[in-house]
Amino acid sequence: MSKKKLEKYVRSADMGDNAASTFVNYGVKKKPEGKYRLSRILMITGYIVFALAFFVFFATMNILPIIALLPVLTWILVFFTWRFVSIEYEYYILDGEFRLTQVYGSKNMRELCRVRISAMDSVAPYRGENKAKADAFDEKDRICGVSSMDNPDIYYAVFKDESGASRAVFFEATEKTLKVIKYYKSDVEVVKTSH
């Protein structure tokens, strides 16, 4: 047996029987639509207004050398603010636990949801009669981790949070995700996905 194969078997043994086969990590970028698109447009407009105001102010004051700082100051402004309109969602399943995080500008993360798959009341595709059930949840009880609600691969899971209130989490499922969820919760309705 080669050294690489032996290392692979040792790692698999150290992680347990199913750790490698029941791990899923998937991420999507939020598509610019609706309020999110408007926020991006306003942010870009703000950058342009800042650059023009800076230029006009120092040009009228006849302090032209300071105008050379404009690119650096604009870059600093973009660096610290663009992340709020550059959003990604990432979920992973490890040891039967589903975690959904919101990633701002590929740097800052905020956990939106953490729940054991076995504790989920239901997991179903977001279409047909299931769509009506999912849409019945109030906006405050929804956790969205999808690129767009028009995506055909959206699934939702219903669970109870720490306070006992029912919540729905929306995510884009891949075939591996569905297999892993079915491993921990056998009554999941599975439909073919595009990923």
Side-chain angles (χ1 to χ4, degrees):
M1 185 178 292
S2 72
K3 187 174 181 177
K4 280 191 172 185
K5 281 188 178 180
L6 183 61
E7 287 175 8
K8 178 182 173 186
Y9 289 124
V10 169
R11 266 189 275 124
S12 293
D14 288 344
M15 292 190 311
D17 294 348
N18 296 314
S21 63
T22 60
F23 172 76
V24 176
N25 185 9
Y26 189 71
V28 294
K29 280 188 167 228
K30 187 171 182 177
K31 289 186 180 175
E33 56 190 17
K35 288 183 197 177
Y36 182 60
R37 183 177 184 191
L38 179 64
S39 298
R40 289 173 72 103
I41 291 169
L42 289 174
M43 192 72 75
I44 292 169
T45 304
Y47 299 148
I48 293 168
V49 167
F50 168 76
L52 288 174
F54 186 89
F55 180 81
V56 168
F57 178 76
F58 287 106
T60 58
M61 301 282 286
N62 207 13
I63 309 174
L64 297 178
I66 292 185
I67 294 174
L69 294 175
L70 180 61
V72 174
L73 293 174
T74 305
W75 179 84
I76 290 170
L77 181 66
V78 170
F79 180 80
F80 285 108
T81 60
W82 184 251
R83 73 180 104 180
F84 298 109
V85 291
S86 178
I87 299 173
E88 299 174 35
Y89 297 102
E90 186 175 305
Y91 69 81
Y92 62 95
I93 300 171
L94 179 63
D95 294 331
E97 187 173 61
F98 178 90
R99 293 181 186 182
L100 176 67
T101 58
Q102 189 173 34
V103 183
Y104 294 100
S106 302
K107 294 174 184 64
N108 301 48
M109 297 175 110
R110 180 173 70 112
E111 188 171 85
L112 299 176
C113 168
R114 178 188 281 197
V115 63
R116 296 217 54 85
I117 294 172
S118 59
M120 292 176 172
D121 296 332
S122 64
V123 180
Y126 182 64
R127 55 178 88 147
E129 67 182 50
N130 292 325
K131 185 173 183 176
K133 290 177 188 175
D135 289 340
F137 282 88
D138 288 339
E139 196 65 36
K140 65 178 178 51
D141 294 329
R142 295 168 158 231
I143 303 168
C144 289
V146 297
S147 60
S148 171
M149 289 304 283
D150 298 332
N151 191 308
D153 295 333
I154 295 177
Y155 269 67
Y156 75 98
V158 178
F159 67 96
K160 295 200 183 331
D161 63 8
E162 301 86 32
S163 65
S166 287
R167 311 267 323 260
V169 60
F170 296 83
F171 59 96
E172 293 181 24
T174 63
E175 293 212 17
K176 183 172 182 183
T177 303
L178 296 176
K179 286 178 186 174
V180 171
I181 290 174
K182 194 151 184 76
Y183 175 80
Y184 290 105
K185 187 162 183 67
S186 60
D187 60 344
V188 174
E189 181 182 339
V190 175
V191 294
K192 186 116 173 103
T193 65
S194 59
H195 299 290

